[in-house]
Amino acid sequence: MEPQPGPIPAKMNPREEKVKIITEEFIENDEDADMGRQNKNSKVRRQPRKKQPPTAVPKEMVSEKSHLGNPQEPVQEEPKTRLLSMTVRRGPRSLPPIPSTSRTGFAEFSMRGRMREKLQAARSKAESALLQEIPTPRPRRLRSPSKKELETEFGTEPGKEVERTQQEIDSQSYSRVKFRDSARKIKPKPQVPPGFPSAEEAYNFFTFNFDPEPEGSEEKPKARHRAGTNQEEEEEEEEEPPAQGGGKEMDEEELLNGDDAEDFLLGLDHVADDFVAVRPADYESIHDRLQMEREMLFIPSRQTVPTYKKLPENVQPRFLEDEGLYTGVRPEVARTNQNIMENRLLMQDPERRWFGDDGRILALPNPIKPFPSRPPVLTQEQSIKAELETLYKKAVKYVHSSQHVIRSGDPPGNFQLDIDISGLIFTHHPCFSREHVLAAKLAQLYDQYLARHQRNKAKFLTDKLQALRNAVQTGLDPEKPHQSLDTIQKTINEYKSEIRQTRKFRDAEQEKDRTLLKTIIKVWKEMKSLREFQRFTNTPLKLVLRKEKADQKADEEAYEAEIQAEISELLEEHKEEYAQKMEEYRTSLQQWKAWRKAQRAKKKKRKQAAEEHPGDEIAEPYPEEDLVKPSPPEPTDRAVIEQEVRERAAQSRRRPWEPTLVPELSLAGSVTPNDQCPRAEVSRREDVKKRSVYLKVLFNNKEVSRTVSRPLGADFRVHFGQIFNLQIVNWPESLTLQVYETIGHSSPTLLAEVFLPIPETTVVTGRAPTEEVEFSSNQHVTLDHEGVGSGVPFSFEADGSNQLTLMTSGKVSHSVAWAIGENGIPLIPPLSQQNIGFRSALKKADAISSIGTSGLTDMKKLAKWAAESKLDPNDPNNAPLMQLISVATSGESYVPDFFRLEQLQQEFNFVSDQELNRSKRFRLLHLRSQEVPEFRNYKQVPVYDREIMEKVFQDYEKRLRDRNVIETKEHIDTHRAIVAKYLQQVRESVINRFLIAKQYFLLADMIVEEEVPNISILGLSLFKLAEQKRPLRPRRKGRKKVTAQNLSDGDIKLLVNIVRAYDIPVRKPAVSKFQQPSRSSRMFSEKHAASPSTYSPIHNADYPLSQVLVRPFVEVSFQRTVCHTTTAEGPNPSWNEELELPFRAPNGDYSTASLQSVKDVVFINIFDEVLHDVLEDDRERGSGIHTRIERHWLGCVKIPFSTIYFQARIDGTFKIDIPPVLLGYSKERNMILEWGFDSVRSLSEGSYITLFITIEPQLVPGESIREKMSNMLKKFESQEDEKLLQATEKFQAECALKFPNRQCLTTVIDISGKTVFITRYLKPLNPPQELLNVYPNNLQATAELVARYVSLIPFLPDTVSFGGICDLWSTSDQFLDLLAGDEEEHAVLLCNYFLSLGKKAWLLMGNAIPEGPTAYVLTWEQGRYLIWNPCSGHFYGQFDTFCPLKNVGCLIGPDNIWFNIQRYDSPLRINFDVTRPKLWKSFFSRSLPYPGLCSVQPEELIYQRSDKAAAAELQDRIEKILKEKIMDWRPRHLTRWNRYCTSTLRHFLPLLEKSQGEDVEDDHRAELLKQLGDYRFSGFPLHMPYSEVKPLIDAVYSTGVHNIDVPNVEFALAVYIHPYPKNVLSVWIYVASLIRNR
Amino acid sequence: MATASPSVFLLMVNGQVESAQFPEYDDLYCKYCFVYGQDWAPTAGLEEGISQITSKSQDVRQALVWNFPIDVTFKSTNPYGWPQIVLSVYGPDVFGNDVVRGYGAVHVPFSPGRHKRTIPMFVPESTSKLQKFTSWFMGRRPEYTDPKVVAQGEGREAQPG
């Protein structure tokens, strides 16, 4: 058996263990520690078992086991443990026994002995019990290869003995041990000594066989040579308990374990017996099964499938390989397997899709690479170092460049360019003296001469000429018979022409040579003379003319021969020429003769004609051109030719008697030393010495290095001799040298730039010739010494003629070459870098569009080449190329010649555009992001399309469809429908325009910052610091304002505090014809005689019984929430109740913009609660109360939410909107004289209610919008004068500084968004003539009528229609066309009418309740000011307490603006006399006179007469609709219409219109009584301007007429529409309920 | 939504505002809130909170430790508008006025698991030197109208003039 490394941890001190365990428990949560803990735990769990001291009693051990992690610590345990641990430590190791063994040996032996005893005792006990668990001997399986040596190595080891015993016991308690062993195996061995074969351990781990039995016998032979006697014995008597004590303890422990296990197992067995029913296994005979399988299963045969089966009918197999196409290597598959597969496929898929053309299964090429791509696995023997040799690589800097970057496909590396700069010569320099100039010239000429001499073209041409002549000579030789004469002639002619050419060239060359020589000599002579003149020499140049004496005779002969040859040739030429000319002459002579003849004939004719018609001569049609008689060419004269030739020869050629002159330039001359030179020259030389030159080397326009600075030599040569090695990665673009010159210590100046050519790739270091590159500079230098300067004209002549201007120039001698690397490879960037970068790019991105146009031309070439070279298109190696070709050949159109930004867009589109558009979710998101009103605040766009209902889009689509369709159903009146559409469009366009403005944030929108404090504020705050604290002084604490963003539904409440009301209409007795109401319908309250008798004497007269006048209560409805107060009594009730109504923002969006656009209105309705006694029988009166509560609508107050929102709170007394006729109630009789109110009320009639409304918590209204807008609007164009606009700004700023709360308006925005000065809106405009005709003599009545007319135009606040964005002012004609507008438009129109009526009228800007900032009209009439509310048509005196206008900001007239600078702004307390500058600050004053602004209003308003028929039709339709609605609202009751009453009412309504609801009630009542005397009647007419049907319906609904559920109730409803000009309609609705009295 | 139970995904955020480094200031507290898109809705937990006041630790780190827990769950249908946590730190100035010491925002991590984020904090500056002085003197430093603006992009574009 394998020796157990288990006991190793036993050396751990138990104390330590404990600590460990505890700490482990602490770190339990730690994930990392988890693994370790498991290991350790398992370790720990095992430890107690193994290293239990022999003295420990079994009981103890059990207890230990029970709490594993907490081993007890007997005192005596300590040494033993150590002993044991000592042995164990050495135990399983392959180390040789160390001396300590002998020392511990004794103790161990004694221990072992004890163990054996115990074991023996326990064995007998346990044997019987465990018998059934002993497994049958198992066949031996794997054996550890290193088992043998292990065993031999520590055969005698005591620790080994322990192991053995354990193993023996293992055989008995097999299962237990198995677990334990395996667990032990898992345990890591931290104490493994070095050198222990770990691989073997691993092997053991995997291959360990837990067969204990055959172990011994097998081991014996292996162990024999090392094993001591002990082991021998042990192996022999396997069944016997071992004698040694070491195993005893373990034995016992195992036994105990065994017991435990047994108990457990027994128990389990027991249980299993109870529940598991035993049944014999089902058996199926093999025959049956085979039969069944044969039916079920298909086993494909292994036979080869004939090819014809695999191919379609009548198709021959086709082998692509044979056709020369690449097919790739198929993967190796066994033939049988392939057959099976083919058979199966044929069976399964009869369509033969799986077979290719060659009749084989389709297969991809073998993907297996022939060589492994993974690094070889290290074997143990090999040292790691050998395999993992580190290789040093220098860090390579990545150079990023858009061009010529080395692509990944190219070999990387550094390249080197060697630049050798040997020196610099100036051909001209400012410091050149005149001599230098000449010297340079001479040197240049000499160079030229040398160059010419080297080439010696003249000689070459002479030789050529000679050769040609020879050729001609031989060609003419008649001894060449085989050549046809023609060809000979031809070649000779060619030769001759060539000779001619060559001769010309030669002559030119010779002449040049001669002139050059002459010039050299001339310059040299000049130089010599100069040197003589100036008496010093500057340059060492010296020209020596060497004379070469030639053989004069031979020379002369040659000269003469040459001339002769030339003459003869020339003669020949001339002859040819002569012949040619003669020919020409002849032909021309012929022509001339013919012409002459014709001429003569003509003349004759003309003469005749002239005789006949003498006048014709003038009309000679063609002018005579006289052909000159051609002269015959002169034959050439030989003498002349000779003369010519000789002259020329003399000129260009050295004469035979002249010696050949060879110039030699040397630097052998001596330069005059300084002390012999004149001052100027010395200073020049000094100057030269001061100068130094260096070069900068620029690579790709970047300086890479520079040469050392070298002084300029006296000969103007600079030697550098430096080589620069440029390490480069890119193909060079440019290589530049910059020549810098330094004079003294001044900064260097750039003389010139020299561009070096980039060398060919063949030019490598060592082979590159030194080249000279010229440079020149355009600098202008004038020097005060001998130096001639640069760019400055100078002359050699004394008189200054023949001026010469020389520029600084020179030559740099250099060589540029590619370096050669270590291994002889030139370090040149690959050529591919230079121009063909596109191939690799193509390899990387196969998107065609990624190929730019740059590689287009090359690509075509490549494609051509590829087509020519007939590549195999199927070979994967050619794939990139083939793709390229397909690109190139598929036509030019495919390669785009445009640049695409998102070239891969197509690739990344995961879905097609159409599909994307079809997606409802996408559409929803898209619409929302576009801020389409329907979806602006759509929350939680569903994840799936299927969760989006189609109806979400319905409204939107409907709106889109209806945009241009005018729907008349909603509006009834077509005109209004059109207007509504128009308004909608204006609204949309305005909203779109201001959408940008919404995102335009000012600093103040983002950041709260204290303003710059001025002195007063600072002083005040400082003063405040010093102020005494007055804790008892009450201070008002402002409510905390809440920013709208943080709100949600239910956070905001609307608080309506209803304080009291005045002058509520009181009831009148339902006076019937019979004057006595029936008992049952008596007022309930009549019985309460004890009710307070506060009624007036009038009432006493009217009512025989004392009764409450009225029992009013207030109902507030807002957003479909209804609250009402308790019922109070009397016409002046005091409720003092606070009603709380929740507020919900549309779509749950509490942003400022959203809140501003809330259109909801707070309705405050006042009802009278009427109690009716419903008792039928008087006898029951004593025992029960049966009453019915009825509510009668008395009037209402409407306050839009937007007003509350902007005002933050509304506090005041409002006039209750009471219908002009309130049947059953009396309004005017309720004046109670005792109360003393009449003095106030005498002027203003009506009922009033005192309210306080606010929002809790206080919201921050979006006030900043106005400021923002004004900023924004400055960007809109304005036609106003710039100065005026500045003045308005100034005016407004001044006003705001003084009275920040007072409204000051100077400019407004018209409907097209332009800024317009406000006074332009005011101009007298004619009211409809129709109205003027009503009261022709009563101005006051007319004014009232006009006001009424204006008030009939529907009101539509801008804040609602434009979402709080801005306030647009439309002109009066636009207003009348739109038939909708807010206060400003009404006020402007009314003011204009008043102006036209001749009143003094102003537009009054101020604050009113409930509107807030608004516009009123102020008029001056008969010594008092009247304030007109344009929207209601009411007017108030200046001192009217109930005037809704609360403060006055400014007055606007047609030609000026006056700002209120009085202390108070309440109309009651101010003076309206605008002429007083102390009270009113006027805009136009003496300093800024009124410029006479023209009005934006039209000249005249044109009114169409309203269509009466249309109005009548509308009237009928509205009546019908309302009746239907009332019936709808009473779903559970029968609604009966009293036609008689209706017709009565219908007749009455026009009267009401005529009298504007005044003074008709009595007549009306009387008439009603007359006709409907036996009905109890309650009803009222409603009057409103007409805009849409919906407000009418709402108004009717809010009265609650339909709520009466008395069974026999009848209804009456009449509608009357009175048309005013311009389609302004006044609508009257009379609703009444009737209950028949019995 | 029309369907009975529209599909949503949940984002659960657990964590804490651990500590801060404000070398100059002491005795700070912080507020947090979340900014999220239209398709997001909190379902559980606290959307905003205000922490205790902490003092600097006495060791070298000088850390301001809050360990202020965050636990909120969002539901959403659209990753657009992924929640951002907005932190604002306040503390007393020389005169004892509470002034803002820093604003900062960071997206809630997009991947599950434990993340640690360090948010750079900043405060708006006064528009002028004088205002800087007066704001310091009066203890009314410039503040954002709403701390959430630091997580919003609206109006951040360059403005003309």
Side-chain angles (χ1 to χ4, degrees), chain A residues 461-498:
Chain A
L461 288 170
T462 317
D463 290 350
K464 190 180 174 186
L465 198 61
Q466 203 59 48
L468 284 169
R469 277 175 190 157
N470 286 345
V472 173
Q473 285 299 319
T474 45
L476 287 173
D477 202 353
E479 282 163 35
K480 297 247 168 114
H482 52 274
Q483 291 232 333
S484 75
L485 228 93
D486 267 2
T487 44
I488 291 169
Q489 196 56 46
K490 208 177 165 191
T491 42
I492 284 173
N493 281 347
E494 277 173 11
Y495 282 147
K496 278 183 181 166
S497 68
E498 207 163 323

Side-chain angles (χ1 to χ4, degrees), chain A residues 140 143 147-148 152 218-225:
Chain A
R140 208 185 142 70
R143 263 198 65 85
K147 179 120 257 170
K148 206 186 292 168
T152 52
E218 293 269 329
E219 272 172 39
K220 194 165 68 183
K222 288 168 206 157
R224 73 184 158 234
H225 61 279

Side-chain angles (χ1 to χ4, degrees), chain A residues 921 928 941 947 949 1006 1008, chain B residues 2 7 38-39 77 143 145:
Chain A
R921 183 167 194 260
R928 188 176 70 177
V941 172
E947 288 176 357
M949 293 289 127
M1006 307 292 278
V1008 185
Chain B
S7 316
Q38 283 179 323
D39 297 323
T77 56
E143 282 181 35
T145 47

Side-chain angles (χ1 to χ4, degrees), chain A residues 528-545:
Chain A
K528 272 203 286 191
S529 67
L530 184 70
R531 278 176 180 168
E532 264 167 44
F533 171 74
Q534 65 188 16
R535 283 188 227 119
F536 61 85
T537 32
N538 265 341
T539 49
L541 275 188
K542 199 173 174 185
L543 189 75
V544 179
L545 287 172

Side-chain angles (χ1 to χ4, degrees), chain A residues 1210-1231:
Chain A
I1210 285 177
D1211 186 4
T1213 305
F1214 302 92
K1215 185 172 181 178
I1216 302 171
D1217 190 7
I1218 288 179
V1221 175
L1222 209 54
L1223 289 177
Y1225 290 87
S1226 99
K1227 284 194 293 188
E1228 71 272 30
R1229 294 304 97 184
N1230 58 356
M1231 283 193 292

Side-chain angles (χ1 to χ4, degrees), chain A residues 921 924-925 928-929 931 935-944 946-949 951-952 996 998-1013 1017-1018 1021-1022 1025 1043 1045-1046 1275, chain B residues 1-3 5-9 38-41 48 75-80 124-128 130-132 134-135 137-138 140-146 148-149 152 154-157 159-161:
Chain A
R921 183 167 194 260
L924 202 57
L925 289 170
R928 188 176 70 177
S929 81
E931 301 222 327
F935 306 99
R936 197 168 290 158
N937 286 303
Y938 201 94
K939 294 211 166 162
Q940 300 247 331
V941 172
V943 183
Y944 299 110
R946 59 167 189 269
E947 288 176 357
I948 301 172
M949 293 289 127
K951 68 167 185 260
V952 173
I996 316 147
K998 241 171 75 181
Q999 287 178 347
Y1000 179 85
F1001 284 98
L1002 297 176
L1003 180 71
D1005 296 331
M1006 307 292 278
I1007 290 170
V1008 185
E1009 191 181 14
E1010 286 286 295
E1011 297 213 354
V1012 186
I1017 296 175
L1018 259 183
S1021 58
L1022 281 172
L1025 285 175
T1043 40
Q1045 286 97 323
N1046 309 334
K1275 293 184 177 58
Chain B
M1 221 32 247
T3 44
S5 56
S7 316
V8 290
F9 66 88
Q38 283 179 323
D39 297 323
W40 291 77
E48 42 192 17
K75 71 172 178 183
S76 171
T77 56
N78 195 350
Y80 176 73
E125 277 279 327
S126 295
T127 39
S128 69
L130 175 65
Q131 266 166 305
K132 195 169 185 170
T134 53
S135 65
F137 187 70
M138 300 168 76
R140 305 181 74 170
R141 312 280 173 96
E143 282 181 35
Y144 285 120
T145 47
D146 183 1
K148 288 180 179 179
V149 298
Q152 285 158 353
E154 229 176 29
R156 295 265 186 111
E157 62 275 327
Q159 290 174 7

Side-chain angles (χ1 to χ4, degrees), chain A residues 33 100 115 356 506 617 1059 1126 1192 1271 1377 1467 1487:
Chain A
S100 68
M115 261 185 102
R506 187 205 57 185
E617 238 165 353
V1059 185
T1126 51
H1192 293 169
N1271 268 346
D1377 283 339
S1487 58

Side-chain angles (χ1 to χ4, degrees), chain A residues 1367-1410:
Chain A
D1367 201 2
L1368 296 184
W1369 284 43
S1370 47
T1371 57
S1372 295
D1373 55 334
Q1374 285 164 343
F1375 173 50
L1376 281 173
D1377 283 339
L1378 286 176
L1379 283 179
D1382 62 359
E1383 303 101 344
E1384 293 95 10
E1385 276 98 20
H1386 283 91
V1388 166
L1389 184 66
L1390 187 61
C1391 188
N1392 289 342
Y1393 282 163
F1394 285 160
L1395 287 170
S1396 110
L1397 289 176
K1399 285 173 190 277
K1400 286 187 94 177
W1402 300 269
L1403 203 60
L1404 191 156
M1405 308 303 297
N1407 281 308
I1409 47 171

